Amino acid sequence: MGYGAVEELGAKVAYFQIPIQFIRMPDLLINELRSIKPTVLFSLTTTAFLLGLKLPEDIRNDIRVILVGGETLTEELAKATLENFPNAMIIDVLGMSEEGAVGYRIVTKKKTTNFSFPESIIVLESIEEEEYKEYHKIYVTKIMKEGELTGLPLFNYDAGDLARVENGEIKSILRIKDAISLAGATLYLDQIISIVHRYPFLIDFVIIYHPLSPSNPKPKAIIRVGYVGEKPAGIEDEIRSLIYER
């Protein structure tokens, strides 16, 4: 998917894949990056953010493009990532393993574009929850180029992701694993982050989720918040009420 995304964007770059175990060996990773002198970084969305916290300033300053995918990129996470890579922009990619990049959007410090799908037909289907009209299941059909032959073309392919649509345009894509059920309410990752950012004293937000299983026939999720100073009374209940407002 990484190579396909780079190829799709027509980037004139050399492509290096660094073994994942380097992430657990920061000194080796930094030495390797200093040797390669990268200006483009491709990684999972959360990994890009974490690298922004850990990499030396000189390496971060050299990065011009951050190609991310595989996990939901929220507005807040994009902003936090770009704060640590001052000269970079983010390309948020929707990728399928057999076809590389299917669609993408550009995120800079000043602007976020809508998703573009230059070589695919996208079909959106409303989900059952009436209160979440902006969320749609997304189906992808790959448009084959002249003379193109692939091992597994995509026809009306459902990856399980959800598209958030505003004014007829796809603004963001949420990975289905980022949706949970909280005591009967469906909750998406971007809603959680939006709620938490209303409260400047909150520094963390955790949902402990117990999924459905034979030993757990009634799934539940527990809210826990991190905060600065004295804990505000009833903050979990207040956040829970905001969830149900939606």
Side-chain angles (χ1 to χ4, degrees):
M1 191 183 87
Y3 180 78
V6 171
E7 184 182 44
E8 174 69 37
L9 295 165
K12 306 297 184 184
V13 298
Y15 181 79
F16 296 89
Q17 184 164 329
I18 296 177
I20 195 167
Q21 57 262 37
F22 275 27
I23 302 298
R24 291 178 289 175
M25 305 174 187
D27 292 340
L28 286 177
L29 175 63
I30 290 169
N31 287 339
E32 189 74 9
L33 291 176
R34 285 215 163 102
S35 174
I36 295 171
K37 300 185 185 303
T39 57
V40 179
L41 173 68
F42 172 77
S43 71
L44 291 172
T45 305
T46 307
T47 302
F49 170 72
L50 294 175
L51 287 174
L53 299 176
K54 296 180 179 180
L55 292 179
E57 184 178 5
D58 61 318
I59 294 177
R60 290 187 281 113
N61 288 345
D62 283 344
I63 299 296
R64 296 295 187 268
V65 177
I66 304 171
L67 200 65
V68 299
E71 298 169 331
T72 302
L73 179 68
T74 64
E75 179 182 348
E76 292 81 7
L77 184 56
K79 181 179 178 181
T81 301
L82 289 175
E83 283 179 356
N84 290 317
F85 292 94
N87 301 311
M89 67 175 182
I90 294 174
I91 301 176
D92 183 17
V93 175
L94 172 66
M96 307 296 180
S97 58
E98 284 78 18
E99 300 298 340
V102 172
Y104 63 91
R105 62 175 174 161
I106 308 296
V107 183
T108 68
K109 291 183 176 68
K110 296 182 178 180
K111 183 179 180 181
T112 300
T113 68
N114 297 323
F115 263 90
S116 172
F117 302 90
E119 295 184 0
S120 302
I121 297 172
I122 303 299
V123 176
L124 301 175
E125 179 184 290
S126 299
I127 60 176
E128 294 179 0
E129 290 90 343
E130 181 66 23
E131 64 269 32
Y132 298 113
K133 294 181 179 179
E134 68 270 33
Y135 294 96
H136 295 71
K137 289 186 69 175
I138 182 169
Y139 296 88
V140 176
T141 295
K142 168 77 173 177
I143 301 174
M144 307 303 287
K145 298 177 184 177
E146 183 177 353
E148 183 177 24
L149 212 54
T150 63
L152 183 59
L154 301 174
F155 296 104
N156 209 27
Y157 182 76
D158 175 17
D161 295 335
L162 296 177
R164 183 163 186 160
V165 179
E166 296 179 14
N167 300 319
E169 300 283 350
I170 297 179
K171 301 290 288 185
S172 60
I173 294 177
L174 284 78
R175 275 53 186 181
I176 193 63
K177 63 181 175 59
D178 293 329
I180 68 167
S181 176
L182 180 60
T186 301
L187 184 62
Y188 296 110
L189 177 66
D190 61 338
Q191 290 176 292
I192 299 171
I193 294 177
S194 174
I195 290 170
V196 171
H197 274 71
R198 297 186 189 189
Y199 301 92
F201 54 80
L202 291 180
I203 59 172
D204 205 353
F205 185 107
V206 176
I207 292 182
I208 305 170
Y209 183 52
H210 302 272
L212 178 67
S213 69
S215 61
N216 184 34
K218 294 184 178 181
K220 66 176 181 177
I222 303 169
I223 296 174
R224 291 290 182 265
V225 296
Y227 50 88
V228 176
E230 186 177 349
K231 180 180 180 181
I235 185 63
E236 286 95 346
D237 290 336
E238 188 172 344
I239 291 177
R240 186 177 284 106
S241 71
L242 290 171
I243 291 169
Y244 279 96
E245 277 182 10
R246 294 167 175 253

